Amino acid sequence: MFMALDEQEMSVVISAMDERKVSAGENVIVEGESGNELYVVEEGTLECYKLFPGQTVPKFLKNYEPGDAFGELALLYNAPRAATIKAKTDACLWVLDRNTFNYIVKDTAQRKRDKYEDFLKSVKILQSMDHYERSKICDAIKEERFESGQFVIKEGEQGNIFYIIVEGEATATKTIEAGKPPKEVMHYKPGDYFGELALLKNEPRAANVIAKGKLKVVSLERNSFKRLLGPLDDILKRNMDAYSNYC
Ligand code: CMP
Ligand code: CMP
């Protein structure tokens, strides 16, 4: 959510934030109440629970760890809190007030969500995710452009970024026999993804990926990839079988 801000906007946001210590067991946010603050975790773990229609017991949804943010929905949509957030351990939070959030962060974040939500919904690998999970991906992605013939990924290099094609095409080439030129092993079009192997296996890049014509992609860096696409681990790993013909 803060990635879309420039340096000056970021420094205004940082100076507006206050530190708050909470104790294990304390509710930081209660579902259904009104809310005026967004939180970033510096230390500790918090749990998120939500009551679904027809249920009497709230369902555990996820943990929040250092670096994660929560409590943005009530501010973005002027709605009651959509879930309860409870400290699992003693925790240290940074709190951002509604005014600074509205003034600096909200429009930028909302514009980014509006811009990418429909596209991400059309990406096959992300279709099993719910609207909320996809909106977190919207916040974290970065748009990048490449010219025809430019390498997005170089075989053998270290890799920390995952890509999805928005517009244009690309090809993957791979060294099959040492000393011979790499061979084309894959063709990519909008909605296709690549660059997951280095992140899943902690290995150097297994192929080159080269723009064929003008190329626009969105990218996710390693931490966001692990945090946001963690639930897709199995599908991503299953899809890796498609490469085995060429490995
Ligand atoms: P907010 O509604 O302001 O307060 C509760 C927070 O829980 C919400 O913002 C989100 O930051 C977070 N949350 C995590 N998962 C969900 C979910 N599936 N639905 C709604 N809120 C969620
Ligand atoms: P990664 O190894 O991170 O970077 C290069 C990417 O090319 C790789 O992830 C895959 O997403 C993609 N790729 C396409 N075809 C192959 C292949 N045959 N073997 C390995 N990677 C491939």
Side-chain angles (χ1 to χ4, degrees):
M1 178 161 294
F2 297 104
M3 278 168 90
L5 303 181
D6 66 27
E7 223 170 285
Q8 205 190 344
E9 291 166 331
M10 189 73 97
S11 83
V12 174
V13 168
I14 290 169
S15 18
M17 290 183 112
D18 283 326
E19 195 189 36
R20 186 172 308 161
K21 307 261 187 209
V22 295
S23 307
E26 198 177 314
N27 279 337
V28 180
I29 285 180
V30 176
E31 185 171 354
E33 290 190 350
S34 61
N36 288 309
E37 290 168 337
L38 168 146
Y39 303 85
V40 179
V41 184
E42 184 182 350
E43 254 176 48
T45 302
L46 299 100
E47 294 172 320
C48 175
Y49 293 90
K50 184 169 172 62
L51 190 60
F52 287 93
Q55 306 285 307
T56 48
V57 181
K59 182 177 174 222
F60 169 78
L61 291 181
K62 60 183 290 182
N63 280 326
Y64 286 101
E65 306 280 355
D68 293 335
F70 60 84
E72 79 291 4
L73 291 183
L75 310 193
L76 274 175
Y77 303 111
N78 257 325
R81 295 297 196 185
T84 293
I85 313 275
K86 186 177 184 172
K88 188 174 177 184
T89 64
D90 289 352
C92 178
L93 306 174
W94 287 89
V95 187
L96 183 65
D97 63 285
R98 179 186 281 273
N99 282 345
T100 313
F101 178 83
N102 277 346
Y103 189 59
I104 313 260
V105 190
K106 183 174 171 174
D107 285 353
T108 330
Q110 193 58 56
R111 259 200 309 276
K112 209 167 163 209
R113 288 188 176 191
D114 290 346
K115 184 168 175 193
Y116 287 113
E117 235 150 47
D118 282 347
F119 167 70
L120 292 183
K121 214 160 137 184
S122 75
V123 174
K124 200 167 157 217
I125 184 90
L126 305 179
Q127 277 169 359
S128 61
M129 301 190 120
D130 65 25
H131 175 78
Y132 184 72
E133 290 171 315
R134 274 197 301 266
S135 71
K136 304 305 279 182
I137 299 178
C138 280
D139 293 339
I141 54 180
K142 203 173 122 199
E143 189 179 295
E144 294 186 54
R145 288 166 193 272
F146 295 88
E147 294 300 323
S148 191
Q150 217 181 332
F151 280 67
V152 183
I153 287 181
K154 280 202 171 137
E155 187 174 357
E157 288 190 346
Q158 288 304 107
N160 286 310
I161 300 178
F162 170 78
Y163 299 90
I164 302 173
I165 297 191
V166 182
E167 283 169 26
E169 296 184 11
T171 50
T173 67
K174 184 171 169 63
T175 309
I176 308 292
E177 236 181 291
K180 298 228 168 126
K183 283 206 168 134
E184 184 169 325
V185 288
M186 192 76 82
H187 185 88
Y188 296 112
K189 49 185 192 337
D192 291 342
Y193 68 87
F194 55 84
E196 80 292 8
L197 286 187
L199 308 189
L200 290 171
K201 294 165 76 176
N202 280 319
E203 285 177 0
R205 295 296 199 185
N208 301 300
V209 179
I210 306 161
K212 255 194 133 184
K214 280 189 183 300
L215 178 69
K216 182 162 125 187
V217 297
V218 286
S219 63
L220 270 182
E221 53 80 38
R222 181 183 286 271
N223 287 340
S224 307
F225 174 83
K226 295 265 172 204
R227 194 158 46 88
L228 302 170
L229 299 195
L232 303 183
D233 237 38
D234 286 346
I235 309 179
L236 289 166
K237 286 187 176 141
R238 215 176 314 131
N239 289 353
M240 275 162 38
D241 292 346
Y243 304 139
S244 57
N245 298 341
Y246 305 104
C247 289

